[in-house]
Amino acid sequence: MGLLCPNSLPAAISRVRYFPSYQSGVPDPTFRRFGPSRFYRRAPPSMAAFLPHENIGPVAAPKSPCRIGDVKRVTKETDVYVNVNLDGSGLANCNTGIPFLDHMLDQLASHGLFDLHVKAAGDIHIDDHHTNEDVALAIGTALLQALGDRKGIYRFGHFAAPLDEAAIEVILDLSGRPHLSYDLIIPTERVGTYDTQLVEHFFQSLVNTSGMTLHIRQLAGKNSHHIIEATFKAFARALRQAIEYDSRRGGSVPSSKGVLSRS
């Protein structure tokens, strides 16, 4: 590609006001060349006002090097550790002792593009209820920690995900006010050994500790596995939207009240 004149470059690329010249013999060390090295002469002062300037355009919200939540929850029934990195790449390392739940947590990390590390030991010899609940409580608490004051984020998320015949819609608001509206009809009592009643309990527990408003609605679906997995995928994508930074907001809290806190 031939050399581009600085006048024609976007403001984000143009650095100083120089014109190409083979006679000046003065190299421009700051101009990004897209071709062979050439020399430039300074534009006349009369034209300088019409040329691009630096630092034009929206400034992204200041981004923390890492938004991490780290939670250890120990009761007489369970021992749970959760680490979440909202600015990760979708890595998952989950071992709860409940294979189907591990599979769903992998979906959260993969489609939410955050790193999720979960280790849990619980009284699954009785049933999966306590472990399922405490894992969700710990994940919600980790999200609460990682989000901090929630400055600069989009806050809202809305996504519909299909999985074969199933389709699930999720709407959420990182408002600080916990609320769950759950409208799934799962036709079987179990998927493998996992009690399908625990899906609602998982999201209710996560909502309670994270301070999230969450609506889950089933648009279609007959297969229990497909309905549940589509729910976790839709939730992950909606959460991904909500936690990302809004460059136009400039680091301010996305609320007319000026604060978003866990009520």
Side-chain angles (χ1 to χ4, degrees):
M1 181 168 64
L3 183 67
L4 300 178
C5 174
N7 296 2
S8 65
L9 292 174
I13 297 178
S14 179
R15 286 291 178 267
V16 290
R17 298 181 284 278
Y18 281 88
F19 283 157
S21 171
Y22 300 103
Q23 290 78 35
S24 68
V26 179
D28 171 18
T30 61
F31 181 71
R32 294 185 181 180
R33 300 182 179 88
F34 294 86
S37 176
R38 297 189 181 186
F39 296 98
Y40 298 83
R41 62 182 174 83
R42 189 177 298 275
S46 60
M47 296 187 65
F50 300 97
L51 298 178
H53 292 265
E54 294 187 42
N55 300 326
I56 296 178
V59 178
K63 191 172 183 179
S64 168
C66 50
R67 294 179 293 170
I68 290 177
D70 195 84
V71 174
K72 177 76 170 176
R73 177 183 172 86
V74 180
T75 71
K76 292 182 179 180
E77 299 162 339
T78 64
D79 184 339
V80 178
Y81 171 74
V82 169
N83 181 279
V84 60
N85 178 5
L86 298 184
D87 301 304
S89 57
L91 299 177
N93 181 11
C94 303
N95 184 359
T96 66
I98 307 171
F100 185 76
L101 180 59
D102 292 344
H103 179 45
M104 294 301 102
L105 297 180
D106 289 347
Q107 304 308 309
L108 288 186
S110 176
H111 295 281
L113 276 186
F114 53 83
D115 295 343
L116 181 62
H117 179 84
V118 179
K119 295 295 180 186
D123 55 359
I124 56 175
H125 61 283
I126 298 174
D127 65 10
D128 296 341
H129 182 98
H130 296 143
T131 302
N132 179 87
E133 176 183 21
D134 287 359
V135 165
L137 290 170
I139 292 175
T141 304
L143 287 174
L144 184 69
Q145 286 184 6
L147 286 168
D149 56 20
R150 311 185 189 201
K151 287 183 177 179
I153 63 171
Y154 278 102
R155 171 181 168 180
F156 299 98
H158 181 197
F159 199 85
L163 180 55
D164 296 346
E165 89 298 340
I168 305 297
E169 180 183 33
V170 170
I171 306 170
L172 63 84
D173 175 12
L174 300 177
S175 60
R177 298 184 301 274
H179 172 81
L180 174 65
S181 177
Y182 178 91
D183 184 21
L184 295 185
I185 301 174
I186 304 174
T188 63
E189 293 183 357
R190 294 188 179 276
V191 174
T193 60
Y194 187 76
D195 184 351
T196 55
Q197 289 183 341
L198 296 180
V199 177
E200 180 176 6
H201 195 50
F202 177 91
F203 284 106
Q204 184 65 69
S205 300
L206 188 150
V207 160
N208 288 345
T209 50
S210 66
M212 178 190 305
T213 296
L214 177 62
H215 292 258
I216 300 173
R217 186 162 67 102
Q218 183 174 331
L219 305 178
K222 296 179 180 179
N223 180 280
S224 297
H225 188 134
H226 292 170
I227 293 168
I228 298 171
E229 185 168 338
T231 299
F232 275 81
K233 287 178 176 178
F235 173 73
R237 289 299 302 267
L239 182 60
R240 175 180 165 186
Q241 291 175 3
I243 65 178
E244 287 185 347
Y245 283 107
D246 182 353
S247 61
R248 294 184 61 196
R249 189 160 291 283
S252 63
V253 175
S255 171
S256 59
K257 295 181 293 186
V259 63
L260 284 175
S261 61
R262 171 72 168 81
S263 60

